[in-house]
Amino acid sequence: MPFTLATWNINSVRLRAGLVEKLMTEEAPDVLCLQECKSPVEKMPSFEELGYGHVVARGQKGYNGVAILSKRPLEDVGDMDFAALGHARHVAARLDNGVVIHNFYVPAGGDVPDRDKNEKFGQKLDYLAEMRDWFHGDRPEKSILVGDLNIAPREDDVWSHKQLLKVVSHTPVEVEALGATQEAGGWVDVTRKDIPEGQLYSWWSYRARDWDAADKGRRLDHVWATPDIAGAAHSSRVLRAVRGWDKPSDHAPVFATFDL
DNA sequence: ATGGTAGGTCTCCTA
């Protein structure tokens, strides 16, 4: 049975429970992966009344937090604490069709792209290197990886490649690290398989005077799949309009459908 | 070159 999956950095699931409900009502993805829930699991709002009774989540007070909300049964298959940060940045679940879904919130990495001057940047690179080694050692099959990876890898994933070369999220060292992680797992970038050409963003800063008019976006949110199921993916899209909702997240949700 | 906005553990940290 085909299923539609969405990934969305919600930037506080408690503050934006209403927006989650709106997305669920209007778009009804079978599986919704959230990042930056900023909530302990026991304080997460319930979306069971909208049909999302299956939840696999990790949380902590105030920061980070990831959740997989599903209309179909999920089995919790664990989490990883890459770079030993003690943060809730990954959780994985197996859908009732056997597909494993990894939901990641990769560290943003601070402002200065130099690990000697900025510990957070080093942690981001370490996190990606440990992801790479994990997937290299245990090559995934029948799996999907989604989340806020906090890197826009392609020139057309940012509003200005040249102006962002030294800005954390688009530096060559980060792009290389993300590429190595992708290659280690054999991951196919499903969004770019479906939308191979043109500028494509999933995040616009809160700090812009008019985010829509300025359109200085970056594609930080990703949907990847292993080669055995990537061919079943189609209809990828970024719901840019969601960024324009009342009291929005600074990220728009990214969708894909899999005929499996 | 600077500062701009937003959320939560809220006068400081993270993004």
Side-chain angles (χ1 to χ4, degrees), chain A residues 24 30-33 44 46-57 67-76 93-96:
Chain A
M24 287 172 164
D30 296 281
V31 179
L32 176 59
C33 297
M44 286 263 300
S46 170
F47 302 97
E48 193 164 2
E49 285 187 6
L50 291 169
Y52 295 83
H54 305 280
V55 179
V56 172
I68 305 174
L69 310 170
S70 176
K71 296 185 171 216
R72 287 164 52 169
L74 294 177
E75 177 194 355
D76 189 327
R94 186 179 290 106
L95 196 58
D96 58 352

Side-chain angles (χ1 to χ4, degrees), chain A residues 107-110 113 121 124-125 128 149-153 164-180:
Chain A
F121 193 72
K124 182 178 196 175
L125 297 179
L128 290 160
L149 305 184
N150 265 314
I151 296 172
L164 289 174
L165 273 171
K166 291 180 179 173
V167 173
V168 173
S169 72
H170 192 61
T171 64
V173 63
E174 291 170 87
V175 170
E176 174 147 0
L178 187 69

Side-chain angles (χ1 to χ4, degrees), chain A residues 50-210:
Chain A
L50 291 169
Y52 295 83
H54 305 280
V55 179
V56 172
R58 298 293 186 272
Q60 61 187 93
K61 214 198 291 186
Y63 301 103
N64 310 311
V66 285
I68 305 174
L69 310 170
S70 176
K71 296 185 171 216
R72 287 164 52 169
L74 294 177
E75 177 194 355
D76 189 327
V77 294
D79 57 76
M80 296 295 279
D81 180 25
F82 295 119
L85 299 172
H87 296 172
R89 293 182 177 276
H90 169 254
V91 72
R94 186 179 290 106
L95 196 58
D96 58 352
N97 60 7
V99 171
V100 173
I101 298 165
H102 291 278
N103 183 15
F104 277 99
Y105 175 48
V106 171
D111 288 333
V112 180
D114 179 342
R115 70 185 309 155
D116 294 327
K117 294 174 183 159
N118 168 20
E119 182 185 36
K120 286 185 173 28
F121 193 72
Q123 290 170 348
K124 182 178 196 175
L125 297 179
D126 291 346
Y127 194 96
L128 290 160
E130 292 187 25
M131 280 176 72
R132 176 201 65 204
D133 292 347
W134 189 52
F135 290 129
H136 184 76
D138 187 8
R139 205 166 170 94
E141 296 178 349
K142 211 174 169 188
S143 300
I144 296 170
L145 184 159
V146 304
D148 178 1
L149 305 184
N150 265 314
I151 296 172
R154 294 177 24 155
E155 293 191 15
D156 53 5
D157 289 337
V158 294
W159 65 276
S160 168
H161 169 62
K162 195 176 170 186
Q163 287 183 251
L164 289 174
L165 273 171
K166 291 180 179 173
V167 173
V168 173
S169 72
H170 192 61
T171 64
V173 63
E174 291 170 87
V175 170
E176 174 147 0
L178 187 69
T181 298
Q182 186 180 349
E183 195 174 333
W187 298 107
V188 174
D189 179 344
V190 165
T191 310
R192 280 304 192 180
K193 175 185 81 71
D194 287 346
I195 312 170
E197 304 293 332
Q199 304 300 120
L200 190 63
Y201 316 137
S202 64
W203 173 88
W204 295 261
S205 173
Y206 283 126
R207 296 174 188 175
R209 259 175 282 128
D210 183 338

